[in-house]
């Protein structure tokens, strides 16, 4: 039985910040952001949006009445949870109008958990081939204003349908997971912004990629020439480059050149949105598929990483006509609204966060189909517009 990613969709906020403008405001050389980090634009989150609204917006782009009947499970992977008990998947399932006979859970392990969700979903479908699993990777990356990590913020959601006979990517059987108890990035319960040791985290990321890829080669006997492309988790696009170059080193043959070219294609959307945490790998996959000329039958390698730390390398085979089962991201990004640095700072500080009081947001100017209206009696209030 072939099982894999049947459809994919991406959603982000309507607002963005030009990082050249941010660099000027912070007194930093813009090249440090656009070249050194590899980011151009960054999604800005209004108070009326969170992981529930973004996840529901992405998922809505996938669904038809017929597909909805087959969804047995909704898994939301996030490190931006809105409740320490209740799964965000329950809110999303309600907003989408899915059947009450639907399993709903939330998963966490930094930026890695969407990959675990896909592997779990594959198991569900293997046992029940008639079922489809909706996997949503939704996050808001926050490091704080005027912090070293500010340039690697972002927001968005990638929704994926996992089923038999997939239209985009058939997942191969061999996967390699690797984990260690490492403090390279974490967010305590009392904090709304993450804590990170950036240089250490980068080194751990590269180590985990090399460990998982080498083990994969030992298990399968495959070489780099067997891959049409390698995709990476990209909290910032330079990270993917560091991972690939850690493997290629001084190699500059035809295979190495092809992999570098495809890496560039996979970076394009992340450069315009920023860090998606759990969704970053899957936005890079969508960027690769929409900005390259890969053919059906091509093997793609995927490296997933979550600080703390866990990594996984696995592979998939492209299906014929895959390009027809995703939303056109570049076209949608053209219609966003640019905000000034001052507006961005106001929106950043306007988030609901850990506020325990009643609050009502003005949702009039939010164009997305789902919004967070506020909080009443300690309960978040969502609305489908």
């Amino acid at each position: 039985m072939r099982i894999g990613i049947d459809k994919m969709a991406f959603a982000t906020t309507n607002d963005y910040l030009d990082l050249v403008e941010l660099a000027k405001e912070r007194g930093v050389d813009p090249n440090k952001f656009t070249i050194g980090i590899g980011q151009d634009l960054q999604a800005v989150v209004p108070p009326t949006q969170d992981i529930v609204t973004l996840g529901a917006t992405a998922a809505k782009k996938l669904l038809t009445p017929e597909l909805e009947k087959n969804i047995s499970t909704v898994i939301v992977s996030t490190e931006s949870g809105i409740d320490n008990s209740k799964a965000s998947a329950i809110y999303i399932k309600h907003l989408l109008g899915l059947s009450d006979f639907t399993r709903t859970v939330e998963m966490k392990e930094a930026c890695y958990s969407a990959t675990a969700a896909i592997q779990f979903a594959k198991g569900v479908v293997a046992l029940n081939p008639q079922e489809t699993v909706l996997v949503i990777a939704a996050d808001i990356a926050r490091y704080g204003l005027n912090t070293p990590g500010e340039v690697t913020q972002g927001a968005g959601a990638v929704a994926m349908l996992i089923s038999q006979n997939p239209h985009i990517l058939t997942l191969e059987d061999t996967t390699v997971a690797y984990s260690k108890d490492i403090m390279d990035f974490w967010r305590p319960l009392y904090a709304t912004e993450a804590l990170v040791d950036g240089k250490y985290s980068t080194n751990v990321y590269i180590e985990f990629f090399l460990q998982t890829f080498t083990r994969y080669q030992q298990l399968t006997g495959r070489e780099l020439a067997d891959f049409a492309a390698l995709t990476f988790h990209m909290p910032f696009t330079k990270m993917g480059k560091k991972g690939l170059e850690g493997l290629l080193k001084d190699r500059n043959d035809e295979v190495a050149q092809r992999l570098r070219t495809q890496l560039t294609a996979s970076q394009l959307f992340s450069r315009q949105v920023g860090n998606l945490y759990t969704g970053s790998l899957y936005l890079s996959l969508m960027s690769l598929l929409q900005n390259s000329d890969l053919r059906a039958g091509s093997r793609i390698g995927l490296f997933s990483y979550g600080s703390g730390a866990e990594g996984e390398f696995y592979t998939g085979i492209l299906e014929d006509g895959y390009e027809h089962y995703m939303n056109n991201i570049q076209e949608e990004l053209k219609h966003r609204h640019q905000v000034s640095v001052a507006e961005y700072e106001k929106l950043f500080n306007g988030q609901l966060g850990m506020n325990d009081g009643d609050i009502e947001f003005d949702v009039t100017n939010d164009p997305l189909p789902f919004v967070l209206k506020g909080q009443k009696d300690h309960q978040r209030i969502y609305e489908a517009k």
Side-chain angles (χ1 to χ4, degrees), residues 14-16 329-338 367:
N14 190 55
D15 298 322
Y16 73 91
I329 295 177
Q330 188 58 60
E331 184 60 30
E332 293 183 7
L333 292 178
K334 291 178 182 178
H335 300 289
R336 292 182 298 169
H337 168 250
Q338 182 177 347

Side-chain angles (χ1 to χ4, degrees), residues 111-163:
C111 303
Y112 162 77
S113 62
T115 296
I118 288 173
Q119 299 298 349
F120 295 168
K122 183 180 177 183
V124 170
V125 176
L127 290 172
N128 305 281
Q130 75 282 4
E131 295 184 4
T132 296
V133 179
L134 172 59
V135 172
I136 300 171
D139 266 303
I140 296 172
R142 287 174 60 97
Y143 296 96
L145 304 177
N146 284 290
T147 64
E150 183 177 29
V151 68
T152 62
Q153 298 179 139
V158 176
M160 297 169 277
L161 294 179
I162 310 301
S163 71

